[in-house]
Amino acid sequence: MSKVEIKHLTKIFGKRPKAALKMVKQNKSKNEIVEKTGSTVGVYDINMSIEEGEIFVIMGLSGSGKSTLIRLLNRLIEPTDGQLFIDGQEITNLTKKQMLSIRRKKMSMVFQNFGLFPHRTLLENTEFGLEIQGVPKAQRRQRAEQALDNAQLLSFKDQYPNQLSGGMQQRVGLARALTNDPDILLMDEAFSALDPLVRGQMQDELLDLQANVQKTIIFITHDLNEALRIGDHIAIMKDGQLQQVGTGEEILTNPANDYVKTFVGDVDRTKVLTADSIMIPALTSNISVDGPTVALRKMSAEEVSGVVAVNRHRQFVGYLSSEATVSARREKLPLADVVVEMPTVKPDTLISDIMPIIYDAQTPVAVIDDDNRLRGVIIRGAVLKALADTEGDSDDNA
Amino acid sequence: MTTHNLINIPKLPLEDWVSGFVSWLTTNLSGFFNAIQQGGQAIMDTITSALMAVPMPLMIIGITALAFAMTTKKYGFPIFAALGLMLIANQGLWSDLMNTVTLVLMASVVSLIIGVPLGILMAKSSKTAAVVQPILDFMQTMPGFVYLIPAVAFFGIGVVPGVFASIIFALPPMVRMTNLGIRQVPVDLVEAADSFGSTTWQKLIKLELPNAKNTILAGANQTIMLALSMVVTASMIGAPGLGRGVLSAVQHADVGSGFVNGLGLVILAIIIDRFAQKFNTKPGQKAPLKPWRRWTIVVALLAIVAGGTVNAMTTSQTTGQKINIGYVEWDSEVASSNVLAESLRQHGYDVTLTPLDNAVLWQSLANNQVDVSVSAWLPNTHKALYQKYKNDVTLLGPNLKGVKTGLVVPDYMSVNSISDLTTQANKTITGIEPGAGEMATAEKTLKAYPNLSGWNLSSSSSGAMVSALAKAYKNKQDIVVTGWSPHWMFGKYHLKYLADPKNTFGSSETINTIVSKKLKSSDPKAYQVLDKFHWTKDDMESVMLEIQNGKSPKQAAADWIKKHKKLVDSWYQ
């Protein structure tokens, strides 16, 4: 038996749901339905099942109905039609009161903008779910402190949310959701409001957490990379309807329809096969100014083992590896003395010409223009990926 | 008045419907209204006497200490509070201030009790909001004066109707801001609370109200200010306090006294406003009060309470017979009512003087809320009111003879009779309060004389009329006013009555004493005294002139009594 079972779930907003429902069945477009009936189709005829302990990602562009879907799961939005089972129990026909206990015991939610209560301290925020259930104060305090401790935020427990960074606030949001010890964690674009670096960290933390606690996590995102990184299964939605459900691999290799194909392609354009289409911004060190210590600091900050050396006009000089920089610092040499050769290509070089160069190179390949200025670097993975894509659909002219 | 109806619809009897509805309410719910009136009056009296029991210096020091403890880094507010309160006390307005505080406090607290739940209901249900919203608009835009009328019908005169009218006027912002504050709670917070399984009640207490607190407090602040602004209006129906001083100053065109009383209200408003703002902290910036500040607040409050208690226990209450004299703020009646009040006080009575609008005064006599009025001008001036209430009041007869009313002009004008008037003074008769009996007579006069068609009667107040007269007199301009004697203006300016060939103003007028029906049985001794009370036109004019020259009415009355001991004693034999 699946943890969550969804059958023909439909939600139509507005005054004339019946008429709108009829039009959806005739495959009319969203805009047409709004014009005719004044009703909006939130989601239509969703069928899927979610297994215990998996991270199930629901993807789609904004307006695709993914946020509506997740709110239908805990009935913050009442469905127009269809059924929803959790652990085999149908919850679409529960009374308000029974629904409260489902929300208190079985599901917790994490929000895109954190949804923390500004007038409560972190501790008071974290214990909110238990407070609502009437758990005695000492007990709920202890559990909330434990959850905050797991999120490494215990020392901030008496602060208010507005005194914290976004990443910290979202950890509190997650801690608040986990304090209830729910079976199911609903995450509505939980990391979308964070900056990319913190976002990556949070994704890792979520994966670590999942390895420990084995919750069923329903995760909403519009970011394919995020979905591929954390999702066991991925569902792609468009205009309130489900396009495809599968593992990341299945969706990339067997897109069910054109929409999924372009959706997946849109996220990562590698169809234009020149160097500048696959290069990434280079990490540089201006060796006419920087010393070894600064260079090392840059490497550790960006978690790389080497940077591209340039002069003060941003002209390419060579490659600076971390080992060479360390030895330069030890022997008090200027950086210019430890720079090594590095293969270079022009921006309009074709990928097929870059292939042999990149096989032999110990370092990434630098892309430089006619004035010897550095434009970016190419790393091995990007080339391989580009090649894999072109083999799949060489007749694609996107 | 003729109205040109575009469509031929007969005039809807809207006035009759409203009057009918209000009188139906008054008769059918009289028990309920009386209970509110008595309960409210008792509560208000308790609060006022509690506030009055606190010795003035202690109160000023206490409030200054509170201001000092609650504000950080700034000395401005405590110093302002101290100086402002001292100024009010120095001007002899302390008891008025306390009365005003009671009224504002009561109106605000009741508005809070009604307004917050109503605001919550509005926020929770769009249907309720759709119904309540237009009612609030109606309540807020309807002039505050209008509420006085049903207030008097329901609760009579005094502080309770004042509070009632203030509440209706001051309630809307409280409701609106509560509704707004709750609706403005970010939707993801509401979703978060829901997703953890909060009941509606839990959501309200733990999320919505704390987040709406600042908006609700802003609404409360507006409500307090509106209640304050109604204080002046409410004083027309006998609500005591600073408003009475302002109103009386308006009716006498007395700039100085109006300014001083108004200043008292301003000082009170600023102090209340600053204190209210202190409670308005944003979440996450709660700067906890330092211990010494907290102790100062506790000590100041305790001192005020203790001082009040000690004072209340040590001072014995005067337990004289109570008598309530109602009067209209005309100079003549200020003189006579104060003389009567002062003489009664000297004979051990506990006298309340209630200034009212004339029509309200008669109504209050009819329903026993005022014991006596010595200002019934009969048979002509107050004819309409007498006709209306003659079965509900007792007429004791004249207390002053030789009264005259009529149209008055400066003697440099060439007209001598009403029938000579053509286009003088912009065809305007400068009148007094619209409810005054003489105004009804003047209206009749306009209709009676064909040469007055096209003239109009402009209403203002007795004081404003005299000011207009003084201004015209100084510039030798034409002016026609509704005048009456006894009045000090005849001593100050050269004026003349216009002859009244059609006799619309009546020939011989007297000022009469009327008492409530119950006075004879409830206080026969006072009834006897009032029956005997009489004096002359010259007596009255001398008192009026003293007051006009700057004496307080009380002082002028006391001085006159000293000089006329024999006459005064004769009332009490």
Side-chain angles (χ1 to χ4, degrees):
Chain A
M1 184 182 69
S2 306
K3 184 80 186 167
V4 180
E5 192 79 50
I6 300 173
K7 289 183 179 162
H8 305 295
L9 201 59
T10 297
K11 172 68 193 181
I12 294 180
F13 296 100
K15 288 213 161 85
R16 299 171 52 199
K18 283 216 169 66
L21 205 55
K22 215 192 251 165
M23 291 182 71
V24 184
K25 284 178 178 156
Q26 298 161 356
N27 271 334
K28 294 274 196 288
S29 79
K30 242 182 162 174
N31 290 342
E32 210 173 333
I33 296 172
V34 172
E35 270 169 38
K36 281 262 164 53
T37 64
S39 304
T40 320
V41 180
V43 300
Y44 175 66
D45 197 25
I46 302 284
N47 294 286
M48 59 192 182
S49 53
I50 297 165
E51 301 304 322
E52 176 120 29
E54 72 168 342
I55 299 186
F56 189 95
V57 179
I58 300 171
M59 284 200 60
L61 298 173
S62 55
S64 60
K66 54 190 193 305
S67 290
T68 305
L69 179 58
I70 204 169
R71 282 167 179 71
L72 286 168
L73 298 186
N74 62 357
R75 279 183 59 192
L76 285 181
I77 295 177
E78 292 293 335
T80 314
D81 194 17
Q83 293 166 299
L84 172 64
F85 299 88
I86 292 180
D87 292 330
Q89 176 195 19
E90 184 177 350
I91 67 159
T92 21
N93 57 8
L94 292 183
T95 60
K96 277 232 178 310
K97 206 163 175 173
Q98 292 167 309
M99 199 59 224
L100 282 189
S101 95
I102 294 268
R103 284 179 194 164
R104 289 174 179 188
K105 301 273 191 284
K106 289 214 165 168
M107 316 180 150
S108 290
M109 196 158 175
V110 181
F111 295 83
Q112 178 175 1
N113 296 319
F114 326 133
L116 296 182
F117 304 132
H119 62 287
R120 292 174 150 241
T121 62
L122 300 200
L123 187 65
E124 288 165 343
N125 263 292
T126 312
E127 69 182 4
F128 182 80
L130 296 176
E131 187 181 324
I132 291 288
Q133 296 174 35
V135 174
K137 193 159 184 167
Q139 204 179 329
R140 70 181 193 231
R141 280 270 134 117
Q142 191 211 329
R143 278 169 66 180
E145 284 183 359
Q146 182 59 52
L148 281 173
D149 199 17
N150 294 346
Q152 283 142 31
L153 285 170
L154 190 55
S155 49
F156 296 90
K157 71 176 178 166
D158 294 326
Q159 305 259 310
Y160 285 88
N162 62 5
Q163 295 166 297
L164 303 182
S165 70
M168 285 171 157
Q169 290 192 51
Q170 196 50 297
R171 281 204 202 100
V172 178
L174 198 52
R176 178 175 69 175
L178 289 167
T179 306
N180 270 12
D181 200 21
D183 300 1
I184 302 170
L185 210 49
L186 306 172
M187 303 183 76
D188 181 18
E189 303 219 23
F191 305 149
S192 303
L194 305 174
D195 68 64
L197 202 74
V198 178
R199 200 168 169 171
Q201 280 172 7
M202 292 292 294
Q203 289 162 359
D204 288 343
E205 278 175 34
L206 186 67
L207 290 170
D208 289 347
L209 180 83
Q210 180 63 346
N212 292 330
V213 296
Q214 285 297 313
K215 306 254 177 233
T216 307
I217 298 177
I218 299 169
F219 193 100
I220 295 235
T221 179
H222 57 245
D223 175 349
L224 181 65
N225 292 333
E226 187 163 67
L228 293 171
R229 189 165 176 189
I230 63 173
D232 298 322
H233 281 100
I234 298 174
I236 295 186
M237 292 183 67
K238 171 189 178 239
D239 289 351
Q241 304 193 28
L242 213 51
Q243 304 295 310
Q244 185 174 7
V245 183
T247 60
E249 188 66 25
E250 285 166 0
I251 284 179
L252 290 182
T253 50
N254 285 320
N257 56 28
D258 283 353
Y259 178 77
V260 176
K261 199 185 287 182
T262 49
F263 184 84
V264 172
D266 265 351
V267 180
D268 217 331
R269 262 183 226 279
T270 52
K271 304 286 184 239
V272 189
L273 302 176
T274 53
D276 59 1
S277 69
I278 56 168
M279 71 185 184
I280 54 171
L283 237 40
T284 61
S285 173
N286 176 353
I287 56 168
S288 19
V289 183
D290 294 352
T293 319
V294 174
L296 277 173
R297 199 189 162 95
K298 281 186 180 169
M299 294 177 206
S300 69
E302 298 292 343
E303 299 168 358
V304 291
S305 57
V307 293
V308 182
V310 293
N311 64 15
R312 69 168 46 113
H313 304 295
R314 266 194 85 69
Q315 280 164 327
F316 171 75
V317 179
Y319 185 74
L320 201 54
S321 72
S322 54
E323 297 88 354
T325 317
V326 170
S327 64
R329 187 162 72 170
R330 212 172 30 236
E331 293 159 29
K332 307 252 186 313
L333 292 170
L335 284 177
D337 292 1
V338 294
V339 171
V340 293
E341 282 279 311
M342 176 179 186
T344 62
V345 295
K346 292 278 184 284
D348 53 4
T349 314
L350 286 175
I351 293 217
S352 47
D353 299 338
I354 302 173
M355 285 298 303
I357 304 173
I358 210 137
Y359 270 131
D360 300 337
Q362 300 302 310
T363 62
V365 177
V367 182
I368 55 174
D369 63 14
D370 296 340
D371 297 335
N372 205 17
R373 282 224 174 75
L374 182 70
R375 302 285 303 276
V377 291
I378 296 171
I379 51 175
R380 207 170 292 215
V383 181
L384 295 178
K385 183 175 180 314
L387 281 177
D389 287 347
T390 45
E391 278 162 20
D393 42 23
S394 48
D395 57 343
D396 202 300
N397 53 3
Chain B
M1 287 289 289
T2 51
T3 47
H4 296 284
N5 260 342
L6 289 176
I7 324 157
N8 254 335
I9 299 176
K11 184 181 168 189
L12 290 173
L14 200 56
E15 291 178 13
D16 300 347
W17 292 344
V18 176
S19 306
F21 176 64
V22 170
S23 62
W24 179 86
L25 279 179
T26 316
T27 33
N28 284 283
L29 296 175
S30 63
F32 169 71
F33 288 138
N34 284 340
I36 291 188
Q37 152 76 20
Q38 276 151 14
Q41 191 71 50
I43 294 172
M44 307 287 289
D45 288 347
T46 311
I47 298 176
T48 310
S49 49
L51 286 171
M52 296 292 293
V54 180
M56 184 176 53
L58 183 70
M59 180 77 104
I60 295 179
I61 292 167
I63 287 180
T64 311
L66 281 181
F68 184 67
M70 287 172 84
T71 39
T72 40
K73 288 191 296 200
K74 279 205 209 102
Y75 295 107
F77 173 49
I79 291 170
F80 172 85
L83 290 179
L85 290 172
M86 281 186 216
L87 178 69
I88 293 176
N90 165 277
Q91 295 292 320
L93 299 174
W94 191 256
S95 62
D96 284 343
L97 178 75
M98 291 303 130
N99 272 308
T100 301
V101 168
T102 308
L103 192 142
V104 172
L105 199 72
M106 194 79 183
S108 310
V109 167
V110 177
S111 295
L112 203 75
I113 292 170
I114 299 172
V116 172
L118 195 58
I120 292 170
L121 280 178
M122 264 178 92
K124 292 283 170 198
S125 142
S126 293
K127 281 205 182 88
T128 312
V131 174
V132 174
Q133 202 69 272
I135 297 177
L136 291 181
D137 293 339
F138 180 89
M139 279 162 73
Q140 227 173 342
T141 44
M142 182 66 90
F145 280 101
V146 176
Y147 300 130
L148 299 179
I149 309 163
V152 171
F154 296 155
F155 305 111
I157 55 156
V159 78
V160 175
V163 169
F164 171 81
S166 305
I167 288 168
I168 297 182
F169 190 67
L171 185 65
M174 194 70 248
V175 182
R176 259 190 239 282
M177 298 294 258
T178 304
N179 171 34
L180 185 73
I182 290 177
R183 281 177 188 263
Q184 271 182 340
V185 175
V187 69
D188 56 345
L189 297 188
V190 178
E191 280 187 331
D194 278 334
S195 73
F196 284 102
S198 317
T199 58
T200 312
W201 188 244
Q202 284 173 324
K203 196 163 63 175
L204 185 71
I205 299 294
K206 292 181 193 293
L207 169 71
E208 287 163 334
L209 287 181
N211 269 294
K213 191 186 85 168
N214 291 352
T215 318
I216 293 175
L217 278 171
N221 207 351
Q222 281 188 29
T223 291
I224 293 170
M225 293 303 141
L226 283 176
L228 256 174
S229 70
M230 271 298 278
V231 165
V232 176
T233 316
S235 66
M236 298 180 72
I237 50 171
L242 291 164
R244 230 180 235 189
V246 174
L247 188 70
S248 151
V250 169
Q251 282 164 325
H252 295 282
D254 182 346
V255 180
S257 136
F259 181 81
V260 171
N261 280 283
L263 190 66
L265 281 171
V266 170
I267 291 168
L268 176 64
I270 292 176
I271 291 175
I272 292 176
D273 180 65
R274 293 297 178 280
F275 270 122
Q277 282 180 10
K278 294 290 161 258
F279 294 102
N280 221 344
T281 52
K282 289 240 178 330
Q285 352 168 287
K286 272 179 230 164
L289 284 174
K290 288 200 179 73
W292 72 264
R293 289 192 184 275
R294 218 173 288 168
W295 281 113
T296 314
I297 292 172
V298 172
V299 169
L301 287 174
L302 280 177
I304 290 175
V305 172
T309 324
V310 169
N311 196 23
M313 282 161 74
T314 49
T315 49
S316 55
Q317 292 290 325
T318 47
T319 47
Q321 274 284 25
K322 279 189 164 44
I323 190 158
N324 190 345
I325 304 177
Y327 69 102
V328 190
E329 286 270 7
W330 300 315
D331 296 316
S332 51
E333 311 317 329
V334 170
S336 56
S337 303
N338 269 285
V339 165
L340 179 64
E342 201 53 34
S343 77
L344 282 167
R345 279 193 196 110
Q346 289 173 3
H347 285 80
Y349 278 89
D350 180 4
V351 184
T352 316
L353 272 172
T354 313
L356 292 165
D357 186 73
N358 199 29
V360 177
L361 171 59
W362 282 78
Q363 195 181 341
S364 312
L365 279 160
N367 57 28
N368 294 326
Q369 285 195 299
V370 168
D371 298 315
V372 58
S373 153
V374 290
S375 45
W377 293 49
L378 295 172
N380 290 301
T381 314
H382 296 164
K383 191 176 181 176
L385 286 163
Y386 183 64
Q387 289 302 335
K388 191 172 174 183
Y389 293 108
K390 66 178 176 205
N391 299 328
D392 307 321
V393 297
T394 310
L395 178 63
L396 293 180
N399 57 49
L400 189 148
K401 294 191 170 106
V403 170
K404 189 166 169 48
T405 63
L407 296 183
V408 173
V409 296
D411 70 352
Y412 52 74
M413 279 174 68
S414 52
V415 283
N416 286 312
S417 159
I418 298 179
S419 40
D420 300 344
L421 289 169
T422 49
T423 58
Q424 295 87 342
N426 297 330
K427 289 190 168 186
T428 302
I429 295 172
T430 307
I432 51 171
E433 292 83 358
E438 194 174 353
M439 294 294 277
T441 318
E443 284 283 1
K444 272 209 321 251
T445 309
L446 283 184
K447 286 198 183 73
Y449 286 86
N451 57 317
L452 292 185
S453 73
W455 279 64
N456 63 42
L457 177 67
S458 78
S459 52
S460 58
S461 73
S462 334
M465 180 272 283
V466 176
S467 295
L469 177 67
K471 199 171 148 206
Y473 195 86
K474 201 170 140 197
N475 301 327
K476 289 276 182 285
Q477 288 162 333
D478 287 358
I479 186 163
V480 182
V481 301
T482 54
W484 65 94
S485 354
H487 195 294
W488 53 264
M489 66 183 181
F490 292 96
K492 197 161 177 175
Y493 310 112
H494 297 292
L495 307 170
K496 60 186 179 193
Y497 278 101
L498 292 177
D500 182 15
K502 289 188 193 276
N503 205 7
T504 49
F505 276 99
S507 44
S508 69
E509 280 277 271
T510 52
I511 307 184
N512 293 265
T513 304
I514 41 175
V515 295
S516 66
K517 278 272 184 222
K518 72 163 203 275
L519 187 75
K520 192 169 184 173
S521 53
S522 71
D523 193 347
K525 188 165 164 282
Y527 183 88
Q528 290 300 328
V529 174
L530 297 171
D531 201 10
K532 285 184 179 156
F533 169 70
H534 69 278
W535 58 342
T536 66
K537 192 173 136 188
D538 293 345
D539 287 330
M540 191 188 237
E541 286 195 336
S542 73
V543 177
M544 283 162 92
L545 209 58
E546 291 276 345
I547 296 172
Q548 188 53 33
N549 292 336
K551 254 188 206 166
S552 80
K554 203 173 158 170
Q555 192 55 49
D559 292 352
W560 182 88
I561 290 172
K562 225 180 266 166
K563 278 196 208 123
H564 301 78
K565 200 164 172 355
K566 216 182 205 164
L567 172 63
V568 175
D569 284 344
S570 77
W571 304 339
Y572 290 87
Q573 282 152 11

